[in-house]
Amino acid sequence: MNHRENPQGRVGHPDGADLPATDGAAVPDGTRPRVPEAAVPGGDRSALLAPHYSMFRVAERMLLTGHSHQAWPDVAMAGQVEAFEDAAREVDAKWGRAMAKADEVRAGFRRFLGDPSAELALGGNTHELVLRFLSALDLRSRPRLVTSDGEFHTLRRQLGRLAEEGVEVVRVPAEPAVTLAARMAEAVDDRTAAVLVSAVLFETARIVPGLGELAAACGRRGAELLVDAYHALGVVPFSLDGFDAAWVVGGGYKYLQLGEGNCFLRIPPHAAGLRPVITGWYAEFAELAADHREGTVGYPAGAARFAGSTYDPTSHYRAARVFGFFADHGLTPSVLRRISLRQRGLLTAGFDALDIPDDLVTRDREGSPGDFGGFLSLRSPHAGRLQARLAERGVLTDSRGEYLRFGPAPYLSDAQLAAAVDALGEEVAALRREAGSPVPGS
């Protein structure tokens, strides 16, 4: 798959199609300077970006957890202070300003979804949004859900509990990812209420191609399709072309640097008549739809049908500032993808140069760089041990079972990535010495 393709196997933005202007002039509102020529990605971008993350001290620390929790730019703090100031000034009247910030957050997510008119319900986490989605399904007449065994814990745990209550949950093996969508399509039948799958697998970083074909299979059977785009947004260009009927769930805790409390559920056009059982009183803010009758719960039109209840708006103030920062610095989907491909390429080349035996640490070498998301996933029976030892050396990674994950971010330098790989090599050498195995060069 070409590296300019999105998780659905459709061609994304051509390189440079949405690069920022480079003439140094101001944008129309006169407040956001355009990105200078030197900022157009093509090399190490850390000198331009790292100063804007001074509170996270990204230039002094090796934060290779970019696939989990990226650093926040300093403007995020200004957003949090603004939230407090609005509350102090407006008290309960702050909600008008808070809801305006929520609209800014929706607009930011729409840019990364490539869907400028997307109906988006917001939530503090993807779990609450998935619950609202599941509660809108007719599980009495279609008591079957299809998913993969490579889904994040949000789906894994909740679907496992539903299975205990009698819902049939079919888990299709996630590997090989290249055929996952096709195999899931084969598993869909007339009893299937929904298919739930990731655009990028959280353990292996594998992009799942063919989601458009999976959506077509769901449509033929009358099943819903929910795509978890969390590991795509901000690192792999995403497009809904070809499967507009899909639901999409995701958030900004990872690559978008929005922090906690910023998640969304994209509501497809055909969902206008669904009535989620799990529903919050914010769904009554908008004008109630015509289906409201005495003795029934009414629902508004659009994404508000899936609204929750009172929330802490501070997260949206922070997110609105960060989305603005991304716009100011030209951090568009295609630019971020090129940065990611380059950084992941440096990590993989460095790892391969270590020439570590596969039984100690290995990586997936099938396919091309464009078949992977934004982190390097290494497989090792010592993943947890290596993660802990690297942390002691100041190299922050994470591990999920037998997977050790290195997640770069745009503000990290080439030198930092190289130092992280060197530290891994030294820790693997230490493991070999402890096991009495020969260490090359010793």
Side-chain angles (χ1 to χ4, degrees):
M1 183 172 70
N2 184 281
H3 78 269
R4 285 157 53 186
E5 292 180 350
N6 62 40
Q8 289 68 47
R10 301 180 61 85
V11 177
H13 300 292
D15 287 346
D18 55 1
L19 285 174
T22 59
D23 58 9
V27 294
D29 67 6
T31 60
R32 292 182 177 174
R34 299 191 182 208
V35 179
E37 183 69 37
V40 176
D44 187 332
R45 195 178 169 116
S46 61
L48 292 163
L49 289 178
H52 297 284
Y53 297 80
S54 63
M55 299 188 74
F56 273 74
R57 298 186 295 111
V58 299
E60 306 165 30
R61 306 159 74 191
M62 286 187 278
L63 302 177
L64 273 294
T65 52
H67 55 290
S68 179
H69 186 318
Q70 288 205 8
W72 305 342
D74 295 339
V75 296
M77 173 64 82
Q80 298 198 168
V81 171
E82 182 186 5
F84 187 94
E85 291 175 341
D86 279 358
R89 180 175 55 253
E90 306 290 344
V91 196
D92 204 36
K94 71 185 179 186
W95 286 105
R97 298 179 64 84
M99 289 183 181
K101 295 296 181 182
D103 285 340
E104 290 185 48
V105 174
R106 289 187 181 92
F109 280 131
R110 288 180 184 124
R111 290 194 292 273
F112 281 87
L113 284 170
D115 184 358
S117 60
E119 288 281 347
L120 301 180
L122 301 181
N125 54 71
T126 57
H127 180 245
E128 65 176 271
L129 295 166
V130 168
L131 280 180
R132 292 178 214 165
F133 163 75
L134 291 171
S135 76
L137 302 176
D138 185 3
L139 291 174
R140 289 190 180 92
S141 60
R142 301 178 73 111
R144 191 170 188 265
L145 300 170
V146 176
T147 187
S148 85
D149 65 2
E151 301 306 314
F152 187 67
H153 309 306
T154 299
L155 292 181
R156 176 194 58 76
R157 178 178 172 85
Q158 188 60 68
L159 297 186
R161 184 66 183 91
L162 288 175
E164 292 179 348
E165 294 300 315
V167 176
E168 181 184 358
V169 177
V170 178
R171 290 186 175 83
V172 178
E175 298 297 335
V178 69
T179 63
L180 175 57
R183 288 181 286 114
M184 296 184 87
E186 293 175 357
V188 179
D189 62 18
D190 293 336
R191 297 176 62 253
T192 303
V195 175
L196 305 95
V197 64
S198 292
V200 179
L201 299 175
F202 86 101
E203 289 180 317
T204 66
R206 274 281 182 179
I207 293 173
V208 178
L211 295 184
E213 291 75 10
L214 176 56
C218 290
R220 288 191 295 270
R221 294 287 193 171
E224 303 290 347
L225 172 63
L226 176 75
V227 177
D228 180 350
Y230 220 136
H231 269 290
L233 298 184
V235 74
V236 178
F238 190 88
S239 172
L240 285 159
D241 290 346
F243 61 108
D244 186 58
W247 304 69
V248 182
V249 68
Y253 183 75
K254 306 179 189 298
Y255 309 99
L256 294 179
Q257 305 175 7
L258 307 183
E260 300 83 354
N262 289 293
C263 293
F264 69 88
L265 176 66
R266 186 257 183 185
I267 316 298
H270 72 270
L274 296 183
R275 303 175 72 246
V277 174
I278 297 177
T279 180
W281 71 275
Y282 270 38
E284 296 182 348
F285 271 4
E287 182 180 353
L288 293 178
D291 66 353
H292 178 63
R293 298 180 300 277
E294 188 67 26
T296 67
V297 175
Y299 289 84
R305 299 180 78 86
F306 290 82
S309 297
T310 309
Y311 63 98
D312 180 356
T314 304
S315 59
H316 291 166
Y317 279 78
R318 181 177 64 240
R321 293 289 186 125
V322 176
F323 273 133
F325 174 85
F326 271 44
D328 291 348
H329 292 269
L331 299 176
T332 60
S334 65
V335 169
L336 289 167
R337 180 58 169 164
R338 291 204 300 279
I339 294 172
S340 172
L341 285 167
R342 181 180 179 277
Q343 290 188 320
R344 190 179 179 281
L346 291 174
L347 289 172
T348 56
F351 172 75
D352 289 349
L354 295 176
D355 197 25
I356 299 172
D358 285 352
D359 61 337
L360 285 178
V361 189
T362 189
R363 71 175 182 89
D364 185 350
R365 292 181 170 85
E366 295 294 324
S368 69
D371 294 331
F372 296 88
F375 60 95
L376 173 62
S377 181
L378 303 176
R379 198 165 190 167
S380 172
H382 311 288
R385 190 175 179 187
L386 287 170
Q387 183 270 329
R389 289 189 170 190
L390 287 170
E392 291 174 358
R393 300 170 64 106
V395 180
L396 301 186
T397 62
D398 78 354
S399 61
R400 301 284 186 179
E402 61 183 356
Y403 293 100
L404 176 65
R405 306 187 302 174
F406 284 68
Y411 45 73
L412 293 180
S413 69
D414 292 358
Q416 287 172 301
L417 301 182
V421 173
D422 288 345
L424 173 64
E426 292 169 7
E427 289 304 330
V428 171
L431 285 178
R432 297 181 73 177
R433 283 192 294 270
E434 292 168 9
S437 301
V439 178
S442 61

